[in-house]
Amino acid sequence: MMLDQTTSDMPGQLRFAELPHPSPTPPAERAARLENPGFGRVFTDHMATIRYSEAQGWYDAQICPRAPFQMDPAAGVLHYAQEIFEGMKAYRLPDGGTALFRPRANAWRFRASAERMAMVPLPEELFLESVRRLVKVERDWIPPIEGGSLYLRPFMIATEVFLGVKPSAEYIYAVIASSVGAYFKGEAPAVSLWVSQEFTRAAPGGTGAAKCGGNYAASLMAQAEATRRGHDQVLFLDAAERRWIEELGGMNIFFVFDDGSIRTPPLGGTILAGITRDSIIQLARDRGLTVAETPYAIDQCQADAASGRLVEAFACGTAAVVTPIGRMTLGKNEFVIGSGGPGQLTQSISQTLTAIQRGTAPDPYGWVDRID
């Protein structure tokens, strides 16, 4: 699936106003926060915002101080959950510059999510401009630590004031930025998964392929169960048969076999079209590896792990990039995958991908979008 698609739909007259923060974070305080930022807790001073109404179209584009929204209690998002979001990162390059990784893929997916949620699609060039401008303003918030990056969260919410089931006629689009380090805490070499047999994430015809908050809300009870049982993440099965592996609560999944082949569940409306997933498929195929996007049953996965045919598994996504999977638990049965730690191919793919993202290796695909 080609995620990097180009359109020329930038509204010609819309320009961003840049409003400086009246009291920006002092450099010394910012440096202290960036020493150990964790994930999603440290936020920058500014954000990007654009508004939409049926009467005006897209208007009032700003890079402005980060501040709370004022919202009417009858705003559509609060009652009918019309909202979408994206996740992407900006990296510091070896020469001191900054870059985004495949931002056009995020712009395309954001538009696709809007269409599925009956929201007005944001022009893709406007999406790109908002993200690039915010990164230029906030580049000093990229943590100077190993694995540090600036996590960007574009999102859009319905703001029309009404009580009635219909698509909103008004929206706020915004981008906020967070200084981040590693997604997973601890020193474990690989994560463990609890296979949920009670809860499902999405069903055919639903919103599984859209990046909307409702999909993640639906995963939280299952994730809490996984945590209670001592696991890092939950693995969801299909809604119809409760047999076919789909994805984790927020990541896609891959399996590596003893013949060097790779398998990942196919996209079909219930799985998010991950940009990291798409990148890994291309990297692996360019190495001459066979990558099958085909269904994989959890009982077959367990049998393959026991026989030694399944030698590695890993999850992937923007936040954690590539995460080795060491073991799974299905009901009362726990099984180890390969050695229980990071596999050789998992590590190699991860190193190649992160090197491209951070500009320490050539980018033959044009994935890195340099900002300055």
Side-chain angles (χ1 to χ4, degrees):
M1 183 175 187
M2 294 300 294
L3 293 176
D4 298 291
Q5 300 189 12
T6 303
T7 62
S8 56
D9 49 7
M10 177 74 171
Q13 302 304 312
L14 191 60
R15 297 290 182 269
F16 279 84
E18 294 198 3
L19 308 179
H21 200 291
S23 54
T25 304
E29 181 180 341
R30 181 177 63 221
R33 293 185 190 179
L34 298 187
E35 288 179 2
N36 185 23
F39 197 96
R41 298 289 184 177
V42 175
F43 293 94
T44 69
D45 290 330
H46 296 86
M47 63 182 184
T49 61
I50 313 173
R51 295 178 180 270
Y52 176 87
S53 71
E54 285 187 344
Q56 295 176 268
W58 294 102
Y59 71 100
D60 195 21
Q62 297 183 2
I63 303 296
C64 57
R66 182 176 174 271
F69 290 131
Q70 286 191 324
M71 187 179 302
D72 192 283
V77 65
L78 301 177
H79 302 272
Y80 308 112
Q82 259 195 308
E83 64 81 38
I84 57 173
F85 68 95
E86 271 299 319
M88 53 199 304
K89 287 180 177 178
Y91 300 94
R92 180 86 65 192
L93 300 175
D95 64 2
T98 52
L100 296 163
F101 182 72
R102 298 189 67 181
R104 286 194 177 275
N106 292 99
W108 176 86
R109 192 171 64 182
F110 194 75
R111 185 179 190 119
S113 293
E115 291 171 348
R116 176 60 185 88
M117 300 299 289
M119 304 172 78
V120 176
L122 179 75
E124 294 173 31
E125 294 300 328
L126 195 51
F127 176 102
L128 295 169
E129 184 72 5
S130 67
V131 172
R132 289 168 180 158
R133 283 183 175 271
L134 184 61
V135 172
K136 285 183 179 180
V137 170
E138 303 290 55
R139 71 185 70 199
D140 290 341
W141 285 87
I142 300 176
I145 59 175
E146 184 177 356
S149 60
L150 190 65
Y151 183 82
L152 302 161
R153 173 54 61 86
F155 63 97
M156 185 162 65
I157 59 175
T159 55
E160 183 184 358
V161 178
F162 71 100
L163 293 177
V165 183
K166 73 174 188 69
S168 177
E170 298 177 4
Y171 298 93
I172 291 176
Y173 163 78
V175 189
I176 56 176
S178 176
S179 307
V180 300
Y183 183 75
F184 286 107
K185 299 177 181 179
E187 301 299 326
V191 298
S192 64
L193 307 184
W194 169 258
V195 182
S196 181
Q197 296 176 286
E198 179 179 1
F199 302 104
T200 59
R201 176 186 171 274
T207 60
K211 200 165 177 66
C212 61
N215 293 337
Y216 294 81
S219 75
L220 296 180
M221 186 172 287
Q223 178 59 51
E225 181 183 21
T227 301
R228 285 196 304 270
R229 294 176 179 275
H231 294 275
D232 301 296
Q233 283 281 309
V234 61
L235 177 64
F236 288 105
L237 305 177
D238 72 292
E241 298 182 56
R242 309 293 176 93
R243 183 189 178 204
W244 304 100
I245 293 171
E246 294 219 318
E247 63 176 308
L248 279 63
M251 291 182 283
N252 297 122
I253 189 167
F254 283 82
F255 302 92
V256 182
F257 300 95
D258 56 3
D259 62 358
S261 65
I262 302 173
R263 177 183 288 187
T264 189
L267 303 178
T270 60
I271 295 175
L272 186 69
I275 295 165
T276 307
R277 173 189 183 277
D278 186 72
S279 304
I280 289 170
I281 290 173
Q282 187 158 354
L283 288 173
R285 286 176 174 165
D286 286 353
R287 292 185 176 192
L289 300 174
T290 298
V291 182
E293 297 179 71
T294 55
Y296 191 37
I298 188 62
D299 53 343
Q300 186 63 55
C301 176
Q302 183 175 2
D304 288 343
S307 70
R309 179 172 178 262
L310 176 62
V311 294
E312 301 179 39
F314 61 88
C316 67
T318 296
V321 191
V322 175
T323 300
I325 298 168
R327 60 188 176 95
M328 297 184 187
T329 298
L330 176 65
K332 296 181 179 180
N333 300 316
E334 179 179 285
F335 56 98
V336 176
I337 298 172
S339 66
Q344 290 184 352
L345 183 58
T346 300
Q347 293 183 81
S348 178
I349 289 287
S350 176
Q351 290 165 1
T352 299
L353 181 58
T354 55
I356 292 174
Q357 290 174 333
R358 297 181 179 279
T360 59
D363 172 24
Y365 307 102
W367 287 342
V368 177
D369 181 19
R370 190 179 179 101
I371 295 176
D372 57 348

